[in-house]
Amino acid sequence: MHRPRAATVRFGNRIQGMNQGDLSRAAEILRSAGRVVAFTGAGVSAESGVPTFRGAGGLWEGHAVQQVATPEAFHADPLMVWRFYDQRRINLTKVRPNPAHTVLARWQDRFPSYQLVTQNVDGLHHAAGAREVVELHGSIWCVRCVGCGHEREDRSAPLPDLPPRCSACGGLERPGVVWFGEYLPARAMALATAAAEACDVLVVVGTSAVVYPAAGLVEVAASAGGKVIEVNPEASQVAHLAEVELRGPAGVVLPLLDELVGDR
Ligand code: BJW
Ligand code: ZN
């Protein structure tokens, strides 16, 4: 019996067989694309050692989301919420971008039009050299005053004083991320929606696609005629919209895909 050739890739102690035909099809779609959008989630940083949110070993394990990622939680106990974010900032100082971030940054010079849209707050796309990143859920390196709204970048980890206070008005500062029940930054959402509506291809990388409105971008792209390629070891909530599903870790799949796409 004829069996499709599989690119065998190792991930941790698992071996995954990825269908070579799917990889070639995805590369072909990308080769003829003018406008490409990459839409990423926590999985793109997994191989850098940053925990994802959901599932075994995820960041939400051992934390009720409502206790750390809502404005109500911050209002009730700012110090507890800041300790959670300060620890994540400390952990992030020890990690580096992985080959998936590198490929997604390189694509800015490969396609006539390219937009990188992320739900991640870790800054690893920028660290890999990505110039323009739409950060839908803010940045963990951004700190915002709840009193006067003043925003600043602060990369110190640990922060010298918890909770930090605004130098302008003395008000309490909060992490510059988007919590449940909060609106996404309007400009970021508008840019991402416009890019999704206009794209030829949307490459969805490492997201469970359960959090809205971000996950809705995949539906926006697909219903506007964009082709969706999913890169994820598991099927996400939007896998049914994908023309091609590349089932493997992003740090392995994206370099293989990039090589096949080649210099256009
Ligand atoms: C790999 C891999 C490898 C592993 N390679 N892949 C219906 C419609 C619209 C909204 C809602 C709705 N129902 C409920 C809502 C509200 C809510 C929501 O969506 N809830 C759902 C959970 C049901 N949304 C909101 O509240 C949003 N705001 C909003 O709706 O405003 C309007 C409004 C205002 C006022 C009142 C009511 C409405 C805001 C959402 C903010 C989300 N914030 C967080 C925290 C950010 C700060 C922080 O980091 O602490 O954002 S939650 C968390 O989830 C984080 C992520 O960006 C987001 C998405 O997670 P992601 O990236 O998909 O990670 P995982 O862990 O879920 O998945 C990882 C994936 O990687 C998996 O698939 C793995 O298989 C894969 N993977 N290794 C590739 N090596
Ligand atoms: Zn202030």
Side-chain angles (χ1 to χ4, degrees):
M1 191 184 77
H2 173 75
R3 306 185 70 182
R5 216 152 49 89
T8 303
V9 292
R10 282 184 180 278
F11 180 45
N13 55 7
R14 282 195 298 162
I15 298 175
Q16 299 202 352
M18 199 174 33
N19 188 297
Q20 186 73 53
D22 289 341
L23 203 55
S24 307
R25 206 145 55 87
E28 202 179 304
I29 290 171
L30 279 167
R31 259 197 304 272
S32 59
R35 285 161 298 188
V36 174
V37 173
F39 173 53
T40 67
V44 79
S45 298
E47 289 151 271
S48 293
V50 182
T52 60
F53 292 92
R54 296 164 186 85
L59 207 51
W60 291 159
E61 206 179 52
H63 283 283
V65 173
Q66 293 80 356
Q67 278 170 14
V68 286
T70 63
E72 292 77 19
F74 186 72
H75 184 71
D77 194 344
L79 184 58
M80 187 270 288
V81 170
W82 260 117
R83 284 194 180 125
F84 172 72
Y85 280 94
D86 201 37
Q87 188 56 54
R88 282 174 59 191
R89 288 164 59 104
I90 292 167
N91 296 346
L92 283 170
T93 62
K94 298 171 193 151
V95 306
R96 295 282 164 270
N98 68 59
H101 296 107
T102 307
V103 168
L104 294 175
R106 193 183 303 144
W107 282 1
Q108 67 202 351
D109 300 317
R110 174 151 284 186
F111 298 104
S113 157
Y114 178 68
Q115 182 64 65
L116 180 49
V117 178
T118 190
Q119 299 168 85
N120 299 347
V121 300
D122 57 28
L124 286 175
H125 286 304
H126 283 116
R131 290 186 294 270
E132 279 181 40
V133 186
V134 172
E135 294 181 314
L136 291 172
H137 293 160
S139 166
I140 203 164
W141 305 112
C142 174
V143 175
R144 187 170 74 245
C145 174
V146 296
C148 70
H150 179 258
E151 262 188 19
R152 64 190 177 89
E153 190 186 81
D154 188 329
R155 292 201 164 252
S156 50
L159 281 159
D161 291 304
L162 287 186
R165 292 259 164 204
C166 175
S167 60
C169 78
L172 191 59
E173 288 179 312
R174 58 162 283 177
V177 300
V178 181
W179 285 322
F180 285 110
E182 295 187 314
Y183 288 103
L184 275 58
R187 189 178 135 75
M189 196 57 205
L191 279 171
T193 306
E197 269 166 359
C199 73
D200 300 317
V201 184
L202 181 87
V203 186
V204 191
V205 186
T207 178
S208 58
V210 295
V211 174
Y212 279 79
L217 291 171
V218 185
E219 287 147 48
V220 167
S223 55
K227 290 186 172 146
V228 175
I229 297 170
E230 174 163 278
V231 180
N232 195 317
E234 314 284 339
S236 79
Q237 287 296 302
V238 295
H240 63 284
L241 296 172
E243 193 108 349
V244 186
E245 299 172 41
L246 300 175
R247 295 273 159 256
V252 174
V253 173
L254 286 176
L256 288 172
L257 185 58
D258 184 50
E259 209 176 301
L260 278 184
V261 173
D263 291 324
R264 291 155 36 100

